Amino acid sequence: MTSSQSPRRLVIRNLGVETTRHGVAVTLVDDVSLDVRAGETLALVGASGCGKSLTCAASLDAAPPGVRRTTGSIAIDGVEQAPADIRGRLVATILQNPRSAFNPVRTMRQHAMEGPAARGAPAASREQRVRAAMADAGLEDVDRILDLHPFEMSGGMLQRMMIALALASGAPFLFADEPTTDLDLIVQRDILNLLLRLTRRQGLGVLLVTHDMGVVAALADRVAVMDAGRIIETARVMDIFNRPTHPVTRNLLDAHLSLYPGRSAA
Amino acid sequence: MSLLAARGASRIYRNGPAGRGGATALDQVSLDIAPGECVALLGRSGCGKSTLARLLAGLERPDAGEVRFAGRSLSTFGRADWRAFRCAVQLVFQDPVSAVNPRETVGQIIAEPLRHLRGLTGVAATGQIQALLRAVDLPADAMGRLPQQLSGGQLQRVCIARALAAQPQLLILDEAVSNLDLHLQIQMLDLFARLKRDRDVSYLFITHDLRLAERFCDRVLVMCDGRLVEETRVGGAFALTSPEGRALQDAILPAMPFRRARAG
Ligand SMILES: Nc1ncnc2c1ncn2[C@@H]1O[C@H](COP(=O)(O)OP(=O)(O)OP(=O)(O)O)[C@@H](O)[C@H]1O
Ligand SMILES: Nc1ncnc2c1ncn2[C@@H]1O[C@H](COP(=O)(O)OP(=O)(O)OP(=O)(O)O)[C@@H](O)[C@H]1O
Ligand SMILES: [Mg+2]
Ligand SMILES: [Mg+2]
């Protein structure tokens, strides 16, 4: 992914997602456009239920049953792509609920060897890649963990394993949905530093969903704020923190700063 | 007197973490939670917090030591004791998706403890379900939805509502608010604080967020490699002193972004 022809830009355009409730169509994601650039992190923030996870999933045609994508396209470097083709290959994903992302009857080794991380690589180099990514993600006891089933692992261990599998895929883009919610602050800091390094040094392009404005401050270059299915403000991270324009953004920020006594909103 | 206590509780798993004298996930942990007390449990990922939560909730048995509820060891409990215990001590799991039956609606999920533990059915139950959904800021029409038709944070709130349905004396919250946005986190903590004040409800609040622990808890416990290594009273701001506690506190993220080098 460091080669000169590695993609520079992933654009989600005019994404619309709806469901049917009591026989009526309900819009869940409304005309959302996002621009994820190589070497940068775009944070997608907003209240619980506003449509962040559906945006990530539906743009890759991986929306859960019961919802449908009504509009929208995804393009890489200006060329429209079939979402299913790029999922896992050009776009790695980290899902919000790590435990449900793993098959309960398979060990971590089986996940490592059979997932998208494995595509196209011979077995030995696959395992090497996953081992290196596990160490990067802070999983030290690699031999033990590869033999474990999901139920034998803590929430944070599973989350780190999912991060490792995503990184081992070598995809140039990463959609990370709340990737550090189950992690202690020390591991969280390490993972955020790792993602920062991968964006800066290897040109990884990250779409980061998070509700923690501290995580946004630490990693994001740009921020898109979502409310009730729509993007209401997109700006550089400094501007979001220092000059928020939309009331929803200001609210997010005030709540965040209230956790840091002695600080008031800018 | 303590409501719930652990005395030298240990847990050993067949595939547990190596290099801790076998495969010890939990190593002789003792703690007391008093009525109306809120205790935070902090510690690195994999240190044994969820394991301790399962033992305290009676879902797994300690391999050594014991868990005591209102002065009696859980190992002496009969059927009626267990029923009373289930009513009194509720656990909200870290992962909401695997904590619910995917084929049951939200209404059915919350109705279960109402029926089994409080004997409520029919209109009385429906009224309670609606009140509980309101308390966790979910719309009444969420009742008919299946778990997979909810967002991550919405499902987590369903699990909180289900635990509250039992009207517990002690609520064990295993990262139960960590998937929520900050407004909701604060709203949930306010709700818990109200229950604490009005009904003397106690909490074991497992969290990675020291900022929330500071806001909500009376006492903080720090765990490391299966052992409790620090206990600190909280009165507003607090400073942890053990090396593990210090390391966690030092890793609190800064409030504001700083200028970073951009990609070239
Ligand atoms: N399969 C589904 N069928 C019907 N509605 C759904 C489905 N999945 C999600 N929704 C609804 O769509 C809206 C957006 O959900 P989404 O999961 O994208 O929220 P989110 O922003 O990720 O929230 P959270 O921060 O709580 O994870 C929510 O109101 C949710 O109830
Ligand atoms: N059923 C099991 N079989 C084998 N090992 C287990 C089992 N359950 C837990 N463990 C191990 O016990 C240790 C503690 O796990 P636990 O889930 O209690 O950690 P935790 O402190 O809750 O971590 P996190 O913050 O990541 O959720 C881990 O090393 C885990 O692999
Ligand atoms: Mg989500
Ligand atoms: Mg845990």
Side-chain angles (χ1 to χ4, degrees):
Chain A
M1 62 192 186
T2 47
S3 69
S4 56
Q5 68 268 42
S6 67
R8 307 295 311 157
R9 204 159 167 190
L10 178 152
V11 176
I12 296 167
R13 193 163 284 135
N14 308 116
L15 184 69
V17 178
E18 61 176 40
T19 188
T20 307
R21 275 185 204 145
H22 315 294
V24 184
V26 178
T27 302
L28 300 173
V29 175
D30 191 2
D31 198 28
V32 163
S33 296
L34 296 169
D35 176 358
V36 185
R37 300 171 195 167
E40 279 194 7
T41 296
L42 171 65
L44 179 58
V45 303
S48 173
C50 75
K52 306 178 297 291
S53 297
L54 283 184
T55 296
C56 294
S59 66
L60 296 172
D61 265 354
V67 303
R68 51 196 174 270
R69 179 163 69 85
T70 48
T71 57
S73 63
I74 189 162
I76 289 180
D77 288 342
V79 181
E80 192 172 325
Q81 306 281 335
D85 286 353
I86 57 173
R87 197 168 68 221
R89 200 169 57 83
L90 294 179
V91 186
T93 53
I94 297 171
L95 303 177
Q96 184 169 8
N97 280 296
R99 205 166 287 277
S100 49
F102 287 92
N103 181 331
V105 299
R106 289 179 174 252
T107 63
M108 292 303 119
R109 178 170 281 106
Q110 288 171 311
H111 281 98
M113 300 312 272
E114 291 157 22
R119 244 178 241 178
S125 76
R126 250 180 246 175
E127 178 151 345
Q128 264 330 101
R129 234 169 39 202
V130 171
R131 282 172 167 272
M134 285 172 72
D136 281 346
L139 291 169
E140 282 153 15
D141 206 352
V142 172
D143 286 308
R144 172 174 88 100
I145 292 167
L146 282 172
D147 287 333
L148 295 182
H149 294 87
F151 78 91
E152 296 170 314
M153 292 168 66
S154 80
M157 290 163 75
L158 283 169
Q159 196 159 41
R160 282 177 281 167
M161 190 67 200
M162 190 154 50
I163 293 170
L165 291 176
L167 297 180
S169 76
F173 294 101
L174 173 66
F175 287 4
D177 194 350
E178 302 281 4
T180 63
T181 33
D182 273 324
L183 300 179
D184 64 86
L185 296 177
I186 299 165
V187 178
Q188 171 173 274
R189 186 183 54 196
D190 293 346
I191 297 284
L192 295 176
N193 284 336
L194 170 66
L195 291 175
L196 191 60
R197 259 192 335 269
L198 290 173
T199 54
R200 295 303 190 256
R201 299 212 187 129
Q202 308 200 26
L204 184 69
V206 180
L207 176 61
L208 170 76
V209 173
T210 180
H211 66 265
D212 188 337
M213 292 302 281
V215 170
V216 173
L219 185 62
D221 298 287
R222 288 176 306 122
V223 183
V225 184
M226 197 166 190
D227 182 47
R230 311 187 65 114
I231 302 292
I232 48 146
E233 179 168 8
T234 304
R236 303 211 64 85
V237 67
M238 284 296 176
D239 293 329
I240 287 285
F241 277 80
N242 293 316
R243 284 174 291 280
T245 59
H246 198 283
V248 169
T249 315
R250 267 200 294 270
N251 273 335
L252 279 176
L253 217 59
D254 286 345
H256 168 66
L257 294 176
S258 78
L259 289 182
Y260 295 82
R263 269 210 106 95
S264 57
Chain B
M1 193 191 65
S2 78
L3 181 63
L4 190 67
R7 289 282 171 271
S10 296
R11 185 78 176 101
I12 296 161
Y13 292 114
R14 190 173 53 84
N15 282 330
R20 291 188 201 167
T24 310
L26 209 62
D27 193 3
Q28 302 178 56
V29 168
S30 297
L31 66 86
D32 287 277
I33 304 172
E37 192 185 23
C38 178
V39 179
L41 179 60
L42 307 173
R44 289 197 207 202
S45 173
C47 75
K49 303 179 296 296
S50 296
T51 302
L52 178 59
R54 289 192 297 272
L55 296 195
L56 289 173
L59 299 175
E60 284 181 25
R61 287 200 202 167
D63 295 301
E66 60 180 10
V67 173
R68 302 173 72 88
F69 176 66
R72 284 182 55 211
S73 172
L74 301 194
S75 62
T76 66
F77 276 16
R79 258 183 95 96
D81 299 316
W82 275 116
R83 200 187 129 92
F85 178 77
R86 292 264 169 264
C87 217
V89 178
Q90 283 282 319
L91 167 62
V92 182
F93 290 90
Q94 187 167 6
D95 176 45
V97 179
S98 44
V100 296
N101 181 340
R103 280 175 294 276
E104 285 185 353
T105 63
V106 168
Q108 290 170 318
I109 290 168
I110 301 176
E112 185 153 311
L114 290 175
R115 187 174 60 246
H116 279 123
L117 299 173
R118 290 176 57 203
L120 290 180
T121 52
V123 188
T126 308
Q128 281 285 309
I129 294 168
Q130 280 165 352
L132 286 160
L133 288 175
R134 250 194 322 276
V136 297
D137 206 18
L138 286 173
D141 81 348
M143 249 175 94
R145 288 202 235 159
L146 293 167
Q148 66 163 10
Q149 295 172 328
L150 298 173
S151 79
Q154 289 169 338
L155 188 57
Q156 202 161 31
R157 282 176 277 155
V158 170
C159 292
I160 293 173
R162 172 176 64 180
L164 292 175
Q167 294 197 330
Q169 288 168 261
L170 178 106
L171 198 53
I172 302 174
L173 299 160
D174 192 352
E175 300 286 352
V177 300
S178 50
N179 243 320
L180 303 179
D181 64 81
L182 202 45
H183 277 291
L184 276 171
Q185 286 185 341
I186 291 170
Q187 194 177 327
M188 290 300 107
L189 294 189
D190 286 348
L191 169 66
F192 298 147
R194 213 157 49 237
L195 293 172
K196 174 174 154 165
R197 203 178 51 231
D198 297 348
R199 293 208 274 112
D200 238 13
V201 176
S202 319
Y203 298 87
L204 181 66
F205 186 58
I206 300 177
T207 184
H208 292 310
D209 198 331
L210 279 84
R211 302 166 302 187
L212 292 183
E214 175 173 314
R215 207 180 158 107
F216 179 57
C217 295
D218 307 307
R219 196 149 57 96
V220 172
L221 303 174
V222 180
M223 199 161 169
C224 178
D225 287 350
R227 296 177 183 223
L228 290 179
V229 296
E230 175 167 6
E231 173 179 351
T232 300
R233 295 237 144 247
V234 180
F238 63 98
L240 296 172
T241 53
S242 65
E244 192 65 8
R246 295 263 6 116
L248 288 167
Q249 207 156 29
D250 287 345
I252 294 181
L253 291 169
M256 299 289 284
F258 44 91
R259 293 203 180 276
R260 282 186 294 271
R262 301 268 323 282

